[in-house]
Coordinates of all heavy atoms in Angstrom, one line a residue:
M19 N -43.2 34.3 -18.7 CA -42.0 33.3 -18.7 C -41.0 33.8 -17.7 O -40.5 35.0 -17.8 CB -41.5 33.2 -20.1 CG -40.4 32.2 -20.1 SD -39.7 32.2 -21.9 CE -39.4 30.5 -22.1
S20 N -40.5 33.0 -16.8 CA -39.5 33.4 -15.8 C -38.1 33.5 -16.4 O -37.8 32.8 -17.3 CB -39.5 32.5 -14.6 OG -39.1 31.3 -15.0
K21 N -37.4 34.5 -15.9 CA -36.0 34.7 -16.5 C -35.1 33.7 -15.8 O -35.2 33.5 -14.6 CB -35.6 36.0 -16.2 CG -34.2 36.5 -16.6 CD -33.9 37.9 -16.2 CE -32.4 38.3 -16.3 NZ -31.6 37.7 -15.3
L22 N -34.1 33.1 -16.6 CA -33.2 32.1 -15.9 C -32.1 33.0 -15.2 O -31.7 34.1 -15.5 CB -32.5 31.3 -17.0 CG -33.2 30.3 -17.8 CD1 -32.4 29.7 -18.9 CD2 -33.7 29.3 -16.8
M23 N -31.7 32.3 -14.0 CA -30.7 32.9 -13.2 C -29.3 32.7 -13.9 O -29.1 31.6 -14.4 CB -30.7 32.4 -11.8 CG -31.8 32.8 -10.9 SD -31.7 32.3 -9.2 CE -31.9 30.6 -9.3
N24 N -28.3 33.6 -13.7 CA -27.0 33.3 -14.1 C -26.3 32.8 -12.8 O -26.8 32.8 -11.7 CB -26.3 34.5 -14.7 CG -26.1 35.6 -13.7 OD1 -25.6 35.5 -12.6 ND2 -26.2 36.9 -14.1
W25 N -25.0 32.3 -12.9 CA -24.4 31.7 -11.8 C -24.1 32.6 -10.7 O -24.2 32.2 -9.5 CB -23.0 31.0 -12.3 CG -22.0 32.0 -12.7 CD1 -21.7 32.6 -13.9 CD2 -20.9 32.6 -11.8 NE1 -20.7 33.5 -13.8 CE2 -20.2 33.5 -12.5 CE3 -20.6 32.4 -10.4 CZ2 -19.1 34.2 -12.0 CZ3 -19.6 33.2 -9.9 CH2 -18.9 34.0 -10.7
K26 N -24.1 33.9 -10.9 CA -23.8 34.8 -9.8 C -25.1 35.0 -8.9 O -25.1 35.4 -7.8 CB -23.4 36.2 -10.3 CG -21.9 36.2 -10.9 CD -21.5 37.5 -11.4 CE -20.2 37.5 -12.1 NZ -19.9 38.7 -12.8
E27 N -26.3 34.6 -9.5 CA -27.5 34.8 -8.8 C -27.9 33.6 -8.0 O -28.9 33.7 -7.3 CB -28.6 35.2 -9.7 CG -28.4 36.6 -10.4 CD -29.3 36.8 -11.6 OE1 -29.6 35.9 -12.4 OE2 -29.7 38.0 -11.9
L28 N -27.2 32.4 -8.3 CA -27.6 31.2 -7.5 C -27.3 31.3 -6.1 O -26.2 31.8 -5.7 CB -26.7 30.0 -8.1 CG -27.2 29.5 -9.5 CD1 -26.2 28.5 -10.1 CD2 -28.6 29.0 -9.5
P29 N -28.0 30.8 -5.2 CA -27.8 30.9 -3.8 C -26.6 30.0 -3.5 O -26.5 28.9 -3.9 CB -29.0 30.4 -3.1 CG -29.8 29.7 -4.2 CD -29.4 30.2 -5.4
P30 N -25.6 30.5 -2.7 CA -24.4 29.6 -2.4 C -24.8 28.4 -1.6 O -25.7 28.4 -0.7 CB -23.5 30.6 -1.5 CG -24.4 31.7 -1.1 CD -25.4 31.8 -2.0
C31 N -24.2 27.2 -2.0 CA -24.4 26.0 -1.3 C -25.9 25.6 -1.2 O -26.4 24.8 -0.4 CB -23.9 26.0 0.1 SG -22.2 26.5 0.2
D32 N -26.6 25.9 -2.4 CA -28.1 25.5 -2.4 C -28.5 25.0 -3.6 O -29.6 25.0 -4.0 CB -28.8 26.8 -1.9 CG -30.2 26.4 -1.5 OD1 -30.5 25.3 -1.0 OD2 -31.2 27.2 -1.7
T33 N -27.5 24.5 -4.4 CA -27.9 24.0 -5.7 C -28.4 22.5 -5.7 O -29.1 22.1 -6.4 CB -26.8 24.1 -6.8 OG1 -25.6 23.6 -6.2 CG2 -26.5 25.6 -7.1
L34 N -27.9 21.7 -4.8 CA -28.3 20.4 -4.6 C -28.5 20.1 -3.0 O -27.8 20.6 -2.2 CB -27.2 19.4 -5.0 CG -27.0 19.2 -6.5 CD1 -25.8 18.4 -6.8 CD2 -28.2 18.6 -7.2
A35 N -29.5 19.3 -2.8 CA -29.7 19.0 -1.4 C -28.5 18.0 -0.9 O -27.9 17.3 -1.7 CB -31.0 18.1 -1.2
A36 N -28.2 18.2 0.3 CA -27.1 17.4 0.9 C -27.5 15.9 0.9 O -28.7 15.5 1.1 CB -26.8 17.9 2.3
K37 N -26.5 15.0 1.0 CA -26.7 13.4 1.2 C -27.7 12.8 0.2 O -28.5 12.0 0.6 CB -27.2 13.3 2.6 CG -26.1 13.7 3.6 CD -26.5 13.4 5.0 CE -25.5 13.8 6.1 NZ -25.9 13.7 7.4
T38 N -27.6 13.3 -1.1 CA -28.6 12.7 -2.1 C -27.8 11.7 -2.9 O -28.4 11.1 -3.8 CB -29.2 13.7 -2.9 OG1 -28.1 14.5 -3.5 CG2 -30.1 14.6 -2.1
A39 N -26.5 11.6 -2.9 CA -25.7 10.8 -3.8 C -26.1 9.4 -3.9 O -26.2 8.8 -5.0 CB -24.2 10.9 -3.4
E40 N -26.5 8.7 -2.8 CA -26.9 7.4 -2.8 C -28.1 7.1 -3.6 O -28.2 6.0 -4.2 CB -27.1 6.9 -1.3 CG -27.2 5.4 -1.2 CD -27.3 4.9 0.1 OE1 -27.3 5.7 1.1 OE2 -27.3 3.6 0.3
A41 N -29.0 8.1 -3.8 CA -30.2 7.9 -4.5 C -29.9 7.9 -6.0 O -30.8 7.4 -6.8 CB -31.2 9.0 -4.2
F42 N -28.8 8.5 -6.4 CA -28.5 8.5 -7.9 C -27.7 7.1 -8.3 O -26.5 7.0 -7.8 CB -27.6 9.7 -8.2 CG -28.3 11.0 -8.1 CD1 -28.2 11.8 -7.0 CD2 -29.2 11.4 -9.1 CE1 -28.9 13.0 -6.9 CE2 -30.0 12.7 -9.0 CZ -29.8 13.4 -7.9
E43 N -28.4 6.3 -8.9 CA -27.7 5.0 -9.2 C -26.9 5.2 -10.4 O -27.2 4.9 -11.7 CB -28.8 3.9 -9.4 CG -29.5 3.7 -8.1 CD -30.4 2.5 -8.1 OE1 -30.5 1.8 -9.0 OE2 -30.9 2.2 -6.9
T44 N -25.6 5.6 -10.2 CA -24.6 5.9 -11.3 C -24.1 4.6 -12.0 O -23.2 4.8 -12.8 CB -23.5 6.7 -10.7 OG1 -23.0 6.1 -9.5 CG2 -24.1 8.1 -10.4
G45 N -24.4 3.4 -11.5 CA -23.9 2.3 -12.0 C -24.1 2.0 -13.5 O -23.4 1.4 -14.3
D46 N -25.3 2.6 -13.9 CA -25.6 2.5 -15.4 C -24.9 3.5 -16.2 O -25.1 3.5 -17.4 CB -27.1 2.5 -15.8 CG -27.8 3.6 -15.0 OD1 -27.1 4.6 -14.5 OD2 -29.1 3.7 -15.1
W47 N -23.9 4.1 -15.7 CA -22.9 5.0 -16.5 C -21.8 4.1 -17.0 O -21.0 4.6 -17.9 CB -22.3 6.1 -15.7 CG -23.3 7.1 -15.1 CD1 -24.7 7.1 -15.2 CD2 -22.9 8.4 -14.5 NE1 -25.2 8.2 -14.7 CE2 -24.2 9.0 -14.2 CE3 -21.7 9.0 -14.2 CZ2 -24.2 10.3 -13.6 CZ3 -21.8 10.2 -13.6 CH2 -23.0 10.8 -13.3
R48 N -21.7 2.8 -16.6 CA -20.5 2.0 -17.0 C -20.6 1.8 -18.5 O -21.6 1.7 -19.1 CB -20.5 0.7 -16.3 CG -20.1 0.8 -14.8 CD -19.7 -0.6 -14.2 NE -20.7 -1.5 -14.2 CZ -21.8 -1.7 -13.3 NH1 -21.8 -0.9 -12.3 NH2 -22.7 -2.6 -13.5
M49 N -19.4 1.6 -19.0 CA -19.3 1.6 -20.5 C -18.9 0.1 -20.9 O -18.0 -0.1 -21.8 CB -18.1 2.5 -21.0 CG -18.4 4.0 -20.8 SD -19.8 4.6 -21.7 CE -19.0 4.8 -23.3
G50 N -19.5 -0.9 -20.3 CA -19.4 -2.4 -20.8 C -18.4 -3.2 -20.0 O -18.4 -4.3 -20.2
E51 N -17.7 -2.6 -19.0 CA -16.8 -3.4 -18.1 C -17.1 -3.1 -16.7 O -17.4 -2.0 -16.3 CB -15.4 -3.0 -18.3 CG -14.8 -3.6 -19.6 CD -13.3 -3.6 -19.7 OE1 -12.7 -2.7 -19.1 OE2 -12.6 -4.6 -20.2
K52 N -17.1 -4.1 -15.8 CA -17.2 -4.0 -14.4 C -16.0 -4.7 -13.7 O -15.5 -5.7 -14.2 CB -18.6 -4.5 -14.0 CG -18.6 -6.0 -14.1 CD -20.0 -6.5 -13.6 CE -20.0 -8.0 -13.8 NZ -21.4 -8.7 -13.3
P53 N -15.7 -4.2 -12.4 CA -14.7 -4.9 -11.7 C -15.2 -6.3 -11.1 O -16.5 -6.3 -10.6 CB -14.4 -3.9 -10.5 CG -15.6 -3.2 -10.4 CD -16.2 -3.1 -11.7
V54 N -14.5 -7.2 -11.2 CA -14.8 -8.6 -10.6 C -13.8 -9.0 -9.5 O -12.6 -8.9 -9.8 CB -14.9 -9.7 -11.7 CG1 -15.2 -11.1 -11.0 CG2 -16.0 -9.3 -12.7
W55 N -14.3 -9.3 -8.4 CA -13.4 -9.6 -7.2 C -13.1 -11.1 -7.1 O -14.0 -11.9 -7.3 CB -14.1 -9.1 -5.9 CG -13.4 -9.4 -4.6 CD1 -12.1 -9.1 -4.4 CD2 -14.0 -9.9 -3.4 NE1 -11.8 -9.4 -3.1 CE2 -13.0 -10.0 -2.5 CE3 -15.1 -10.4 -3.1 CZ2 -13.1 -10.4 -1.3 CZ3 -15.4 -10.9 -1.7 CH2 -14.4 -10.9 -0.9
H56 N -11.8 -11.4 -6.7 CA -11.5 -12.8 -6.7 C -11.1 -13.0 -5.3 O -9.8 -12.8 -4.9 CB -10.3 -13.1 -7.7 CG -10.6 -12.7 -9.1 ND1 -11.5 -13.5 -9.8 CD2 -10.3 -11.7 -9.9 CE1 -11.7 -12.9 -11.0 NE2 -11.0 -11.9 -11.1
P57 N -12.0 -13.5 -4.4 CA -11.7 -13.5 -3.0 C -10.6 -14.5 -2.6 O -9.9 -14.3 -1.5 CB -13.1 -14.0 -2.4 CG -13.9 -14.5 -3.5 CD -13.4 -13.8 -4.7
E58 N -10.3 -15.5 -3.4 CA -9.2 -16.4 -3.1 C -7.9 -15.8 -3.3 O -6.9 -16.3 -2.6 CB -9.4 -17.7 -4.0 CG -9.0 -17.6 -5.4 CD -10.2 -16.9 -6.3 OE1 -11.1 -16.4 -5.7 OE2 -9.9 -16.8 -7.5
I59 N -7.8 -14.7 -3.9 CA -6.6 -13.9 -4.0 C -6.3 -12.7 -3.1 O -5.3 -12.4 -2.8 CB -6.4 -13.5 -5.5 CG1 -6.4 -14.8 -6.5 CG2 -5.1 -12.7 -5.7 CD1 -6.4 -14.3 -8.0
C60 N -7.5 -12.2 -2.7 CA -7.6 -11.0 -2.0 C -6.9 -11.0 -0.6 O -7.1 -12.1 0.1 CB -9.0 -10.6 -1.7 SG -9.3 -9.1 -0.8
I61 N -6.0 -10.1 -0.3 CA -5.3 -10.1 1.1 C -6.0 -9.0 1.8 O -5.4 -8.7 3.0 CB -3.8 -9.8 0.8 CG1 -3.6 -8.5 0.1 CG2 -3.1 -11.0 0.1 CD1 -2.2 -8.0 0.0
H62 N -7.1 -8.4 1.6 CA -7.9 -7.3 2.4 C -7.0 -6.3 2.8 O -7.0 -5.7 3.9 CB -8.4 -8.1 3.6 CG -9.4 -9.1 3.1 ND1 -10.8 -8.8 2.7 CD2 -9.4 -10.6 3.0 CE1 -11.4 -9.9 2.4 NE2 -10.5 -10.9 2.6
C63 N -6.1 -5.7 1.9 CA -5.3 -4.5 2.2 C -6.1 -3.3 2.1 O -5.7 -2.3 2.7 CB -4.2 -4.5 1.2 SG -4.8 -4.2 -0.5
M64 N -7.3 -3.3 1.5 CA -8.2 -2.1 1.4 C -7.7 -1.0 0.5 O -8.2 0.0 0.6 CB -8.6 -1.7 2.9 CG -9.1 -2.7 3.7 SD -10.4 -3.9 3.0 CE -11.8 -2.7 2.7
I65 N -6.7 -1.3 -0.3 CA -6.2 -0.2 -1.2 C -7.3 0.0 -2.2 O -7.6 1.2 -2.6 CB -4.9 -0.7 -1.9 CG1 -3.8 -0.6 -0.8 CG2 -4.6 0.2 -3.1 CD1 -2.5 -1.1 -1.3
C66 N -8.1 -0.9 -2.6 CA -9.2 -0.6 -3.6 C -10.3 0.2 -2.9 O -10.8 1.2 -3.6 CB -9.8 -1.9 -4.0 SG -10.3 -3.0 -2.7
W67 N -10.5 0.0 -1.7 CA -11.6 0.7 -0.9 C -11.1 2.3 -0.9 O -11.9 3.1 -1.1 CB -11.7 0.1 0.4 CG -12.7 1.0 1.3 CD1 -14.0 1.0 1.3 CD2 -12.2 1.8 2.4 NE1 -14.5 1.8 2.3 CE2 -13.4 2.3 2.9 CE3 -11.0 2.2 3.0 CZ2 -13.5 3.3 4.0 CZ3 -11.0 3.1 4.0 CH2 -12.2 3.6 4.6
I68 N -9.8 2.5 -0.5 CA -9.5 3.8 -0.3 C -9.3 4.6 -1.7 O -9.3 5.8 -1.7 CB -8.2 3.9 0.5 CG1 -8.1 5.3 1.2 CG2 -7.0 3.7 -0.3 CD1 -7.0 5.3 2.4
S69 N -9.1 3.8 -2.8 CA -8.9 4.3 -4.0 C -10.1 4.6 -4.9 O -10.1 5.4 -5.8 CB -8.0 3.3 -5.0 OG -6.8 3.2 -4.3
C70 N -11.2 4.0 -4.5 CA -12.4 4.1 -5.3 C -13.0 5.5 -5.2 O -13.4 5.9 -4.0 CB -13.4 3.0 -4.9 SG -15.1 3.3 -5.7
P71 N -13.2 6.2 -6.3 CA -13.7 7.6 -6.2 C -15.2 7.4 -6.0 O -15.9 8.7 -5.7 CB -13.4 8.1 -7.6 CG -13.3 7.0 -8.5 CD -12.8 5.8 -7.6
D72 N -15.8 6.4 -6.1 CA -17.4 6.4 -5.9 C -17.8 5.6 -4.6 O -19.0 5.2 -4.5 CB -18.0 5.8 -7.2 CG -17.8 6.7 -8.3 OD1 -18.3 7.9 -8.1 OD2 -17.2 6.3 -9.3
S73 N -16.9 5.3 -3.7 CA -17.2 4.6 -2.5 C -18.0 3.3 -2.8 O -19.0 3.0 -2.3 CB -18.0 5.4 -1.6 OG -17.3 6.5 -1.2
S74 N -17.6 2.6 -3.8 CA -18.4 1.4 -4.4 C -17.7 0.0 -4.0 O -18.3 -1.0 -4.5 CB -18.5 1.5 -5.8 OG -19.3 2.7 -6.3
V75 N -16.7 0.0 -3.2 CA -16.1 -1.2 -2.6 C -16.8 -1.4 -1.4 O -16.9 -0.6 -0.5 CB -14.5 -1.1 -2.6 CG1 -14.0 -2.4 -1.9 CG2 -13.9 -0.8 -3.9
T76 N -17.5 -2.6 -1.2 CA -18.2 -2.9 0.0 C -17.3 -3.7 1.0 O -16.4 -4.4 0.6 CB -19.4 -3.7 -0.3 OG1 -19.1 -4.9 -1.0 CG2 -20.5 -2.9 -1.2
V77 N -17.5 -3.3 2.2 CA -16.7 -3.9 3.3 C -17.6 -4.3 4.5 O -18.6 -3.7 4.9 CB -15.9 -2.7 3.8 CG1 -15.0 -3.0 5.0 CG2 -15.0 -2.2 2.7
K78 N -17.1 -5.4 5.2 CA -17.8 -5.7 6.4 C -16.7 -6.2 7.3 O -15.9 -7.0 7.0 CB -18.8 -6.9 6.1 CG -19.6 -7.3 7.3 CD -20.7 -8.2 7.0 CE -21.5 -8.4 8.3 NZ -22.3 -9.6 8.3
D79 N -16.8 -5.8 8.6 CA -15.8 -6.1 9.7 C -14.3 -5.9 9.1 O -13.5 -6.7 9.4 CB -16.0 -7.6 10.1 CG -17.4 -7.7 10.7 OD1 -17.9 -6.8 11.2 OD2 -18.0 -8.8 10.5
G80 N -14.1 -4.8 8.5 CA -12.8 -4.5 8.0 C -12.2 -5.3 6.8 O -11.1 -5.3 6.5
K81 N -13.2 -6.1 6.2 CA -12.7 -6.9 5.1 C -13.6 -6.6 3.8 O -14.8 -6.3 4.0 CB -12.8 -8.4 5.4 CG -11.8 -8.8 6.5 CD -11.7 -10.3 6.6 CE -10.5 -10.6 7.4 NZ -10.4 -12.0 7.5
M82 N -12.9 -6.6 2.7 CA -13.7 -6.4 1.4 C -14.6 -7.4 1.2 O -14.4 -8.7 1.4 CB -12.7 -6.4 0.3 CG -13.3 -6.1 -1.0 SD -12.3 -6.0 -2.3 CE -13.4 -5.7 -3.6
T83 N -15.8 -7.1 0.7 CA -16.8 -8.2 0.4 C -17.3 -8.0 -1.1 O -18.1 -8.9 -1.4 CB -18.1 -7.9 1.3 OG1 -18.5 -6.6 1.1 CG2 -17.7 -8.1 2.8
G84 N -16.9 -7.1 -1.9 CA -17.2 -7.1 -3.2 C -17.6 -5.5 -3.6 O -16.9 -4.7 -3.2
F85 N -18.5 -5.4 -4.5 CA -18.8 -4.1 -5.1 C -20.3 -3.8 -5.0 O -21.1 -4.6 -5.1 CB -18.3 -4.1 -6.6 CG -16.9 -4.3 -6.8 CD1 -16.4 -5.5 -7.2 CD2 -16.0 -3.2 -6.4 CE1 -15.1 -5.8 -7.3 CE2 -14.5 -3.6 -6.6 CZ -14.1 -4.8 -7.0
D86 N -20.4 -2.5 -5.0 CA -21.9 -1.9 -5.0 C -22.0 -1.5 -6.5 O -21.7 -0.5 -7.0 CB -22.0 -0.7 -4.2 CG -23.3 0.1 -4.4 OD1 -24.1 -0.4 -5.3 OD2 -23.4 1.2 -3.8
Y87 N -22.6 -2.5 -7.3 CA -22.7 -2.3 -8.8 C -23.7 -1.2 -9.1 O -23.8 -0.8 -10.2 CB -23.0 -3.6 -9.6 CG -21.8 -4.5 -9.5 CD1 -21.9 -5.8 -9.0 CD2 -20.6 -4.2 -10.2 CE1 -20.9 -6.7 -9.0 CE2 -19.5 -5.0 -10.2 CZ -19.6 -6.3 -9.6 OH -18.6 -7.1 -9.6
K88 N -24.6 -0.9 -8.2 CA -25.5 0.2 -8.4 C -24.8 1.5 -8.6 O -25.4 2.5 -9.1 CB -26.6 0.3 -7.3 CG -27.6 -0.8 -7.4 CD -28.7 -0.6 -6.3 CE -29.8 -1.6 -6.4 NZ -30.8 -1.5 -5.2
H89 N -23.7 1.7 -8.0 CA -23.0 3.0 -7.9 C -21.6 3.0 -8.6 O -21.1 4.0 -9.0 CB -22.8 3.5 -6.6 CG -24.1 3.8 -5.9 ND1 -24.8 2.9 -5.1 CD2 -24.9 4.9 -6.0 CE1 -25.9 3.5 -4.8 NE2 -26.0 4.7 -5.3
C90 N -21.1 1.7 -8.8 CA -19.7 1.6 -9.4 C -19.9 2.1 -10.9 O -20.6 1.6 -11.6 CB -19.2 0.1 -9.4 SG -18.0 -0.2 -10.6
K91 N -18.9 3.1 -11.3 CA -18.9 3.5 -12.7 C -18.0 2.8 -13.6 O -18.0 3.2 -14.7 CB -18.6 5.0 -12.7 CG -19.7 5.9 -11.9 CD -19.5 7.3 -12.2 CE -20.3 8.2 -11.3 NZ -19.4 8.9 -10.3
G92 N -17.3 1.8 -13.1 CA -16.4 1.0 -14.0 C -15.2 1.6 -14.4 O -14.6 1.4 -15.5
C93 N -14.6 2.6 -13.6 CA -13.4 3.3 -13.9 C -12.1 2.5 -14.0 O -11.2 2.8 -14.7 CB -13.2 4.5 -13.1 SG -12.8 4.1 -11.3
G94 N -12.1 1.4 -13.2 CA -11.0 0.5 -13.2 C -9.9 0.9 -12.3 O -8.8 0.1 -12.3
I95 N -10.0 1.9 -11.5 CA -8.9 2.3 -10.6 C -8.6 1.2 -9.6 O -7.5 0.8 -9.3 CB -9.4 3.6 -9.9 CG1 -9.2 4.8 -10.9 CG2 -8.3 3.9 -8.7 CD1 -9.8 6.1 -10.4
C96 N -9.7 0.6 -9.1 CA -9.5 -0.5 -8.0 C -8.7 -1.6 -8.6 O -7.7 -2.2 -7.9 CB -10.8 -1.0 -7.6 SG -12.0 -1.5 -8.9
A97 N -9.0 -2.0 -9.9 CA -8.2 -3.2 -10.5 C -6.8 -2.7 -10.7 O -5.9 -3.5 -10.6 CB -8.9 -3.6 -11.8
K98 N -6.6 -1.5 -11.1 CA -5.2 -1.0 -11.3 C -4.4 -0.9 -10.1 O -3.1 -1.2 -10.1 CB -5.3 0.4 -12.0 CG -3.9 1.0 -12.3 CD -3.8 1.4 -13.7 CE -2.6 2.2 -14.0 NZ -1.3 1.5 -13.9
E99 N -5.0 -0.6 -9.0 CA -4.3 -0.3 -7.8 C -4.1 -1.6 -6.9 O -3.3 -1.7 -6.0 CB -5.0 0.7 -6.9 CG -4.9 2.2 -7.5 CD -3.5 2.7 -7.7 OE1 -2.7 2.4 -6.9 OE2 -3.3 3.3 -8.8
C100 N -5.0 -2.6 -7.2 CA -4.8 -3.8 -6.4 C -3.4 -4.5 -6.5 O -2.9 -4.6 -7.6 CB -5.8 -5.0 -6.9 SG -5.7 -6.5 -6.0
P101 N -2.7 -4.6 -5.3 CA -1.4 -5.0 -5.3 C -1.0 -6.4 -5.5 O 0.2 -6.8 -5.6 CB -0.8 -4.5 -4.0 CG -2.1 -4.6 -3.0 CD -3.2 -4.4 -3.9
T102 N -1.9 -7.3 -5.6 CA -1.6 -8.8 -5.5 C -0.8 -9.1 -6.8 O -1.2 -8.7 -7.9 CB -2.8 -9.7 -5.2 OG1 -3.7 -9.4 -6.3 CG2 -3.4 -9.4 -4.0
K103 N 0.1 -10.1 -6.7 CA 0.9 -10.6 -7.8 C 1.0 -12.0 -7.7 O 1.2 -12.5 -6.5 CB 2.3 -9.8 -7.8 CG 2.2 -8.4 -8.3 CD 3.5 -7.8 -8.3 CE 3.4 -6.3 -8.6 NZ 4.6 -5.6 -8.6
P104 N 1.2 -12.8 -8.7 CA 1.2 -12.4 -10.1 C -0.3 -12.0 -10.6 O -0.4 -11.4 -11.6 CB 1.7 -13.5 -10.9 CG 1.4 -14.7 -10.1 CD 1.4 -14.2 -8.6
N105 N -1.2 -12.6 -9.9 CA -2.6 -12.4 -10.4 C -3.3 -11.3 -9.5 O -3.2 -11.2 -8.3 CB -3.5 -13.7 -10.3 CG -2.9 -14.6 -11.2 OD1 -2.5 -14.3 -12.4 ND2 -2.7 -15.9 -10.7
K106 N -4.1 -10.4 -10.1 CA -4.9 -9.4 -9.4 C -6.2 -10.0 -8.8 O -6.8 -10.9 -9.3 CB -5.3 -8.3 -10.4 CG -4.2 -7.6 -11.0 CD -3.9 -6.3 -10.3 CE -2.9 -5.4 -11.0 NZ -2.6 -4.2 -10.3
A107 N -6.4 -9.5 -7.5 CA -7.7 -9.9 -6.9 C -8.9 -9.1 -7.4 O -10.0 -9.4 -7.2 CB -7.6 -9.7 -5.5
I108 N -8.6 -8.2 -8.4 CA -9.7 -7.5 -9.1 C -9.3 -7.5 -10.6 O -8.3 -7.1 -10.8 CB -10.0 -6.0 -8.6 CG1 -10.2 -6.1 -7.1 CG2 -11.1 -5.5 -9.4 CD1 -10.3 -4.6 -6.6
T109 N -10.3 -7.9 -11.4 CA -10.1 -7.9 -12.8 C -11.2 -7.1 -13.4 O -12.4 -7.2 -12.9 CB -10.0 -9.1 -13.5 OG1 -10.9 -10.1 -13.1 CG2 -8.6 -9.8 -13.1
M110 N -11.0 -6.4 -14.5 CA -12.1 -5.7 -15.2 C -12.6 -6.6 -16.3 O -11.8 -7.2 -17.1 CB -11.6 -4.4 -15.8 CG -11.2 -3.4 -14.9 SD -12.5 -3.0 -13.7 CE -13.7 -2.0 -14.7
E111 N -13.9 -6.9 -16.2 CA -14.5 -7.9 -17.1 C -15.7 -7.4 -17.9 O -16.3 -6.4 -17.3 CB -14.8 -9.2 -16.5 CG -13.5 -9.8 -15.8 CD -13.7 -11.2 -15.2 OE1 -14.7 -11.7 -15.3 OE2 -12.7 -11.6 -14.5
K112 N -16.0 -7.9 -19.0 CA -17.2 -7.5 -19.7 C -18.5 -7.7 -18.9 O -18.6 -8.7 -18.2 CB -17.4 -8.2 -21.1 CG -16.4 -7.8 -22.1 CD -16.7 -8.1 -23.4 CE -15.7 -7.9 -24.5 NZ -15.0 -6.5 -24.5
E113 N -19.4 -6.8 -19.0 CA -20.7 -7.0 -18.3 C -21.4 -8.2 -18.7 O -21.5 -8.5 -19.8 CB -21.6 -5.7 -18.6 CG -21.0 -4.4 -18.1 CD -21.3 -4.1 -16.7 OE1 -22.0 -4.9 -16.0 OE2 -21.0 -3.0 -16.3
Ligands
LIG25 S1 -6.8 -4.0 -3.4 FE1 -7.0 -6.1 -4.0 S2 -6.0 -7.3 -2.4 FE2 -6.5 -5.3 -1.5 S3 -8.5 -5.5 -0.6 FE3 -8.9 -4.8 -2.7 S4 -9.2 -6.7 -3.9 FE4 -8.2 -7.3 -1.9
LIG26 S1 -14.3 0.4 -11.1 FE1 -14.0 2.5 -10.2 S2 -16.0 3.0 -9.4 FE2 -16.0 0.8 -9.7 S3 -15.4 0.0 -7.7 FE3 -13.6 0.2 -9.0 S4 -12.7 2.1 -8.5 FE4 -14.8 2.1 -7.8

């Protein structure tokens, strides 16, 4: 039986292969709510895009186009930061 390595024995920068995040579909980590975009309200300020910790706001030609639900974890930061008033262009809704 091989002996487990402790953290000091792990090779530096070699615990995960680079550029593998896209393959992990973290969208199924959501806990029952997902962001929903309302394009008729959106002013394409891109605050949601820069705020999303999972790069799950999709963009084309400099404008928001929606969400990558395969990777969005449903944290709600985009909906909180969306600046439109009185109604938000992003709301968190039940799956
Ligand atoms: S933060 Fe709101 S208004 Fe700005 S691009 Fe995102 S959805 Fe549109
Ligand atoms: S809910 Fe969180 S992870 Fe999903 S798009 Fe908004 S900020 Fe990104």
Side-chain angles (χ1 to χ4, degrees):
M19 186 182 212
S20 62
K21 179 181 166 286
L22 291 175
M23 287 189 286
N24 69 39
W25 68 272
K26 290 179 185 170
E27 295 167 325
L28 290 171
C31 304
D32 197 27
T33 53
L34 285 175
K37 298 184 179 175
T38 57
E40 193 173 1
F42 293 99
E43 295 192 357
T44 50
D46 50 8
W47 295 11
R48 285 195 302 277
M49 301 288 285
E51 283 197 327
K52 67 178 181 183
V54 174
W55 180 48
H56 305 286
E58 71 282 6
I59 300 173
C60 179
I61 57 172
H62 298 284
C63 65
M64 308 313 293
I65 289 175
C66 55
W67 173 77
I68 205 164
S69 302
C70 176
D72 291 302
S73 301
S74 297
V75 175
T76 57
V77 175
K78 186 169 184 199
D79 298 329
K81 294 192 169 185
M82 182 180 178
T83 60
F85 298 101
D86 167 8
Y87 289 120
K88 283 185 178 173
H89 295 93
C90 164
K91 296 192 192 110
C93 68
I95 292 172
C96 54
K98 176 120 173 72
E99 295 300 319
C100 178
T102 58
K103 291 181 180 174
N105 298 314
K106 296 265 190 179
I108 302 172
T109 50
M110 297 302 290
E111 298 185 12
K112 288 200 187 311
E113 297 272 5

